[in-house]
Amino acid sequence: MNANAIVYTSNTGYTAQYARLLGEKTGLPVYSLAEAGAKLPAGNCVIYLGWLMAGKVQGYAKAAKRYRIAAVCGVGMGASGSQLADVRKANSLGDALPLFTLQGGFDMDKLKGIYKLMMQVMAKTVGKSLANKQDRTAEEEQMLHLLTQGGSCVSEENLRPVLDWVLES
C-alpha cells in the first residue's frame, strides 16, 4: 500500500471517527477533504473514506479528481462488508480498486435539511417494515435498532478488513 494520507468526507461524524481510527492504527495523516485541499498536494496517493447515500460514496468523485485513490471505504448503516457490488456500480469503481463498506451509525439529531427529511421518511417506512417482520436476521435487527434507537457501530473490529489490507499491501 503506497498511500501517504487518509482523506474523508463525513456528514454526522461516523466516517470521521473511522478515518481517525485508521490514522491512529496506520500512522498516516488524516485530513477532511476540505482540509486536504490546502494541506495535501494533488497527485498524492490516499485512502478515501466517505459516507454513503443511496450507494454513492460522498466526496469520492471530487477526491478522485485530485488524488490517486489506493482504496475506498464507504460508511453507512448497513453491515460492514455488505452492499459491495451496489457501491462499486453506483460509483463506477473498477474491480481492481479495493473497496470496503463499514457500518457507521445513525443519529437523527445530527442530520440537517434534506438529509434529515429523507432519513425521517426512511426510518419510518423501513423501520415499520422491519418491526413487522417475523424472522429478522441479525443484520436486520441491527438496522432496526439503529433506525429506532440510533447509535454508533464504529469499531476497530469493523475496520479490521481495511487494516489487514493496509498491512498486506
Side-chain angles (χ1 to χ4, degrees), residues 32-161:
S32 71
L33 186 55
E35 292 172 327
K39 296 181 178 180
L40 191 64
N44 269 275
C45 186
V46 304
I47 298 171
Y48 183 76
L49 289 80
W51 58 283
L52 290 169
M53 183 175 70
K56 294 286 278 183
V57 180
Q58 301 303 298
Y60 168 73
K62 184 175 181 181
K65 285 180 184 174
R66 183 168 171 85
Y67 304 108
R68 290 180 298 118
I69 307 295
V72 176
C73 302
V75 180
M77 289 178 58
S80 292
S82 68
Q83 306 165 318
L84 290 169
D86 293 336
V87 172
R88 193 171 290 285
K89 183 177 179 182
N91 295 275
S92 301
L93 303 176
D95 291 339
L97 183 62
L99 171 65
F100 304 91
T101 56
L102 305 169
Q103 189 170 36
F106 183 64
D107 184 343
M108 191 68 78
D109 294 335
K110 290 183 178 180
L111 295 171
K112 293 178 178 44
I114 189 71
Y115 301 124
K116 186 168 193 160
L117 192 59
M118 289 170 29
M119 289 307 294
Q120 285 172 333
V121 171
M122 189 188 109
K124 191 172 186 177
T125 57
V126 174
K128 184 177 181 180
S129 175
L130 285 174
N132 291 333
K133 188 173 179 189
Q134 294 297 320
D135 297 320
R136 290 186 292 269
T137 65
E139 185 176 330
E140 290 168 334
E141 284 287 345
Q142 180 71 32
M143 181 66 74
L144 180 59
H145 177 78
L146 284 175
L147 288 171
T148 58
Q149 308 296 314
S152 174
C153 298
V154 175
S155 69
E156 186 175 333
E157 179 183 339
N158 284 343
L159 193 61
R160 178 58 43 205

Side-chain angles (χ1 to χ4, degrees), residues 6-48:
I6 297 162
V7 176
Y8 70 92
T9 299
S10 189
N11 187 34
T12 57
Y14 302 108
T15 305
Q17 289 175 26
Y18 272 124
R20 287 191 295 270
L21 182 57
L22 184 58
E24 287 171 20
K25 298 296 178 182
T26 63
L28 293 172
V30 179
Y31 305 102
S32 71
L33 186 55
E35 292 172 327
K39 296 181 178 180
L40 191 64
N44 269 275
C45 186
V46 304
I47 298 171
Y48 183 76

